[in-house]
Amino acid sequence: MRLLLGIWLTLTTCTACAQVILRGQVVDAETNQPIPNAQVGVAGNRIGTSTNADGRFALSIPTQYQREQLEVALLGYRKYAQLLPSLPGPELRIALQISPAALGEVQVTASVLGIVREAVARIPRNYPVRNTRLTGFYRESDNDPTGRPRYLVEGLLTVFKDPYPQRTDEGAVQIRQSRKVDLRPQTLVRVDWAGGPFIAHKADFVHARAQFISPAHFRHYDYRLAAGSTYADRRVYVIEFNPKRGNRRADFAGRLYIDQDSYAFLGAEWHYTLAGLRSGLHRADSRALRVAYQPYAGRWHLKTVWWQTSYRPPVGEPLQYFGEFLTTAIDTAGISQPTYQERAQYYDAFLHNAVPYDSAFWQTQTTLLRPAALEQALDQQRQQRADSLFRPRAQQVPAAAEAGVPPAAPTSAAFRLLSRIRYGAALGAWPLAVPGATLALDYAPAGSGFRAQSTRNVAAQSLTGWWNAEYQFDLTPELAVRLATRRLFRQFSGDGWEAGLSYEHNLNPRRRPLFGRAGLAYTRQAVARSLGTFENASGGVRVSGTTLNAAELGLQLQSTFDAVQPKLGLGLELSHKIELVADLGYLLPLRSRTQLVLSEKSGFFLTRSSAAIDLPSPAVSLRVNEQATATVPWQQRRWLLSFGLLYRLR
């Protein structure tokens, strides 16, 4: 084992020797203040990073790029470029000059909105018309009010882009490697961000034709030409867009940067308006984005995304999400989409992804600069593996503790149980054969002074609708215990329940999972027809040992049906947490009974009582189509069909 570790460390050291670290700080040339989020690239942005809040960056430079040009760019500043200095060396200090206003040099021959329209019309000319694959570095964090990360997750992604003439904000994302540090305490209620790696699609405003560049929404915005500048050594139109006065349909406000020669969108920065924050499913307190594009092979491709969201959930601490994507490589030839199993799913929290972590992998990858304590905590797995070979078990100390970073709490039994829980809802058709009939009922319990007489028509039907809420607990990956509650609707009402076992087997293991489903359950269902509400003037009606004192009593004619239900079905995974299911069941009857149900209709809702009388009863006279009987006119059939969704908690 020592020999193997020595060989591994030697190989790791050799890999590191082939690269050197370039460190630097980017500042404003006039104010000497650090500039965050400046884009730092080498060799035409084949590798790159961005500056942190202190304007600093650290970039691993492979041998083949150590004679290439270093470039630093940010909207509003002149592009900085020079050959890389001799490495290793001291930290570079790079001062960026503000781009002078160039409005007087711009010859505007059309309206400002006309410039935007022309840029939209030229998207097929300026952006990829074939499938494209981007490799990029992604980071997300949730920060507390002081700016300290509660957790930090980083990953190397492969992003698959459809041709830009096709308007879409969807696409595949593949996680190649990832790592994380989670400093949050374990609690039963915790909100995690989902869909973070997909900002490379969701924030690509050109590909998505965001509202502020969509001709269908131009009437909601005011566009005006701001002081011009250069970006990436190109002359640009700087166009500000804001909602028109009094307009509540414009979701955004911000700036566009459009190349004066090609009319390509080089970038944009915007935030959500109050209307935008209130629209859609994902509401937030604030949301701001910044996106830039870069040229490659005659087309413009996504370069960087910066996304920040503040959200105050109903339960728990306020959330400060920060996400960043930086493209490090572009491929436009022979792109094939990954299989379903290889793709990340939008509703999976990146914090929980199961891609294995290999600390040695990161020595050859571009990273973004982070605090030293988090740097040490991220490598705790590697340190612990080495310690376990040479240190007695009683002396082992987690690397995170050595670094002064509180270790993440171990996963509790409660969280392990939560990972096995699924819940969902379903709709179906309850097989009930109902002929048209007239019900006439007379109920007069002896000695109570209460009497109810009712006549109701029952419409003919062959099916009645139902919905249910269900819960599953996975005993194994394929076998689960299932409990469901059910309620009928249409002209009948009635509650029911179902309990049993469910088995699933993946019939399509290499692509999107398609499950074969089988189950066995015990079910009980009540089918009731209302007969009306009646005054209880005398009070104190006693039914089957229950006294009903309310001023009004409701009556229902009800049949209750017990059965064993085998079922077969299919399930289709829509995401790693959501499954669409369809089941066909067959009811094997065990017993049934007919009852008259009385329930209190007034009084405080927590104290309302109900009672049932089994038919036949001397106090109840029931006639169906003028014929005396003790049974209901509807008949239970056997086949049961349902469709629903199942959601996994974790």
Side-chain angles (χ1 to χ4, degrees):
M1 185 66 72
R2 290 172 181 267
L3 177 61
L4 291 175
L5 179 63
I7 294 173
W8 175 69
L9 290 175
T10 300
L11 292 174
T12 300
T13 303
C14 291
T15 301
C17 289
Q19 305 189 49
V20 290
I21 302 298
L22 172 67
R23 299 182 184 276
Q25 184 182 30
V26 180
V27 299
D28 186 292
E30 295 184 4
T31 66
N32 289 319
Q33 295 298 309
I35 299 177
N37 302 308
Q39 307 306 315
V40 181
V42 172
N45 201 50
R46 292 185 181 89
I47 59 173
T49 185
S50 66
T51 57
N52 65 7
D54 298 323
R56 287 189 159 83
F57 66 89
L59 187 60
S60 180
I61 310 294
T63 302
Q64 66 269 31
Y65 295 145
Q66 291 179 14
R67 296 182 180 273
E68 296 284 348
Q69 184 165 267
L70 169 68
E71 298 178 353
V72 181
L74 184 66
L75 293 174
Y77 288 88
R78 289 178 177 173
K79 180 180 178 181
Y80 172 91
Q82 72 167 44
L83 290 176
L84 283 169
S86 298
L87 298 173
E91 181 182 70
L92 290 179
R93 182 177 175 83
I94 300 171
L96 295 186
Q97 300 281 347
I98 295 178
S99 279
L103 184 59
E105 303 171 10
V106 177
Q107 300 298 321
V108 181
T109 58
S111 68
V112 177
L113 180 56
I115 297 173
V116 180
R117 289 184 182 275
E118 182 65 19
V120 173
R122 294 198 191 188
I123 288 176
R125 184 188 308 179
N126 289 324
Y127 297 87
V129 293
R130 63 176 67 178
N131 291 334
T132 308
R133 180 172 58 222
L134 307 179
T135 300
F137 186 81
Y138 171 75
R139 165 188 286 177
E140 75 174 48
S141 65
D142 173 32
N143 303 325
D144 64 20
T146 67
R148 181 177 182 271
R150 297 187 180 103
Y151 76 80
L152 179 70
V153 189
E154 297 176 326
L156 191 69
L157 309 180
T158 303
V159 177
F160 296 83
K161 290 282 189 180
D162 290 328
Y164 273 68
Q166 175 184 342
R167 176 181 179 177
T168 180
D169 65 351
E170 303 291 336
V173 171
Q174 187 177 0
I175 302 172
R176 293 176 53 187
Q177 285 282 345
S178 64
R179 58 183 178 182
K180 66 184 178 184
V181 57
D182 192 349
L183 305 179
R184 302 172 301 173
Q186 292 282 5
T187 58
L188 289 178
V189 178
R190 190 167 74 182
V191 178
D192 292 322
W193 296 102
F198 286 81
I199 63 174
H201 292 300
K202 297 297 180 183
D204 189 344
F205 71 92
V206 175
H207 209 173
R209 309 296 195 275
Q211 191 186 76
F212 50 84
I213 64 167
S214 171
H217 295 276
F218 283 157
R219 66 183 184 275
H220 302 316
Y221 288 92
D222 277 327
Y223 298 87
R224 71 179 187 87
L225 196 64
S229 65
T230 60
Y231 171 69
D233 293 332
R234 292 176 179 266
R235 290 156 53 92
V236 296
Y237 297 113
V238 182
I239 296 177
E240 293 183 347
F241 57 91
N242 290 281
K244 286 186 177 179
R245 180 173 296 181
N247 187 285
R248 297 183 180 180
R249 296 185 179 180
D251 294 342
F252 310 104
R255 282 189 168 200
L256 290 167
Y257 299 86
I258 301 175
D259 183 71
Q260 292 184 23
D261 298 324
S262 66
Y263 284 86
F265 293 104
L266 304 190
E269 51 194 39
W270 70 95
H271 64 270
Y272 280 62
T273 62
L274 288 177
L277 292 172
R278 293 169 181 169
S279 66
L281 296 176
H282 306 290
R283 299 190 177 186
D285 298 316
S286 68
R287 181 177 288 133
L289 295 89
R290 183 165 58 247
V291 174
Y293 298 85
Q294 61 184 327
Y296 175 77
R299 301 280 175 168
W300 288 85
H301 302 262
L302 185 70
K303 179 179 181 181
T304 60
V305 174
W306 179 92
W307 186 311
Q308 191 165 25
T309 297
S310 298
Y311 172 61
R312 186 180 298 274
V315 179
E317 297 179 314
L319 302 176
Q320 299 285 337
Y321 165 81
F322 173 76
E324 186 172 14
F325 175 79
L326 171 67
T327 299
T328 58
I330 302 170
D331 190 359
T332 60
I335 307 304
S336 59
Q337 293 285 337
T339 66
Y340 174 83
Q341 296 292 350
E342 296 171 330
R343 300 177 188 174
Q345 300 298 314
Y346 184 80
Y347 290 102
D348 294 336
F350 189 49
L351 185 66
H352 304 151
N353 80 79
V355 176
Y357 168 63
D358 179 3
S359 59
F361 172 87
W362 295 95
Q363 295 183 4
T364 58
Q365 299 301 324
T366 301
T367 60
L368 301 176
L369 201 61
R370 59 189 164 273
L374 290 176
E375 170 74 33
Q376 295 178 7
L378 285 168
D379 280 333
Q380 61 182 328
Q381 295 182 13
R382 180 179 181 183
Q383 181 67 44
Q384 289 171 343
R385 286 200 301 268
D387 288 347
S388 66
L389 297 176
F390 300 104
R391 186 181 299 174
R393 184 178 301 273
Q395 298 178 4
Q396 292 181 12
V397 179
E402 293 177 350
V405 177
T411 304
S412 66
F415 278 83
R416 289 195 297 271
L417 289 177
L418 283 176
S419 67
R420 296 189 173 197
I421 294 176
R422 288 192 287 174
Y423 65 90
L427 289 172
W430 188 260
L432 199 66
V434 183
T438 300
L439 303 178
L441 181 133
D442 188 347
Y443 171 58
S448 67
F450 175 81
R451 185 169 187 175
Q453 293 178 310
S454 174
T455 301
R456 287 287 188 274
N457 292 323
V458 177
Q461 64 181 64
S462 57
L463 296 171
T464 193
W466 62 267
W467 64 268
N468 77 359
E470 64 178 90
Y471 305 88
Q472 289 190 186
F473 182 80
D474 294 338
L475 300 175
T476 71
E478 294 184 328
L479 185 64
V481 177
R482 179 174 175 271
L483 175 65
T485 59
R486 182 169 48 235
R487 185 164 184 82
L488 303 184
F489 58 88
R490 291 186 71 184
Q491 69 171 326
F492 293 96
S493 61
D495 295 323
W497 56 267
E498 184 178 309
L501 296 174
S502 177
Y503 176 82
E504 283 190 340
H505 178 70
N506 189 2
L507 305 176
N508 192 29
R510 295 188 176 182
R511 294 180 176 83
R512 182 184 295 273
L514 177 65
F515 298 100
R517 292 166 52 87
L520 182 66
Y522 184 94
T523 185
R524 173 175 294 174
Q525 181 63 50
V527 181
R529 179 68 169 89
S530 174
L531 299 174
T533 301
F534 303 89
E535 292 186 2
N536 183 20
S538 60
V541 177
R542 188 168 182 81
V543 180
S544 301
T546 301
T547 301
L548 306 176
N549 294 311
E552 293 183 331
L553 299 180
L555 271 64
Q556 289 182 315
L557 185 61
Q558 174 178 289
S559 62
T560 303
F561 180 78
D562 288 72
V564 173
Q565 181 189 174
K567 61 173 62 177
L568 293 174
L570 292 174
L572 178 65
E573 185 173 292
L574 303 181
S575 77
H576 291 335
K577 287 192 174 184
I578 302 176
E579 181 182 345
L580 175 66
V581 296
D583 291 316
L584 181 65
Y586 187 77
L587 298 171
L588 299 173
L590 297 177
R591 61 179 177 271
S592 63
R593 63 183 182 274
T594 302
Q595 297 174 310
L596 178 66
V597 179
L598 288 80
S599 56
E600 294 182 327
K601 293 296 183 181
S602 60
F604 187 59
F605 71 95
L606 290 179
T607 62
R608 293 181 187 178
S609 300
S610 63
I613 304 171
D614 291 331
L615 300 183
S617 168
V620 179
S621 172
L622 175 63
R623 301 178 69 85
V624 177
N625 294 331
E626 303 299 330
Q627 299 295 320
T629 183
T631 61
V632 294
W634 52 86
Q635 296 294 322
Q636 185 66 56
R637 290 183 175 177
R638 302 294 182 88
W639 293 102
L640 182 66
L641 181 65
S642 65
F643 297 91
L645 292 173
L646 281 176
Y647 179 81
R648 188 182 300 277
L649 283 178
R650 297 183 66 82

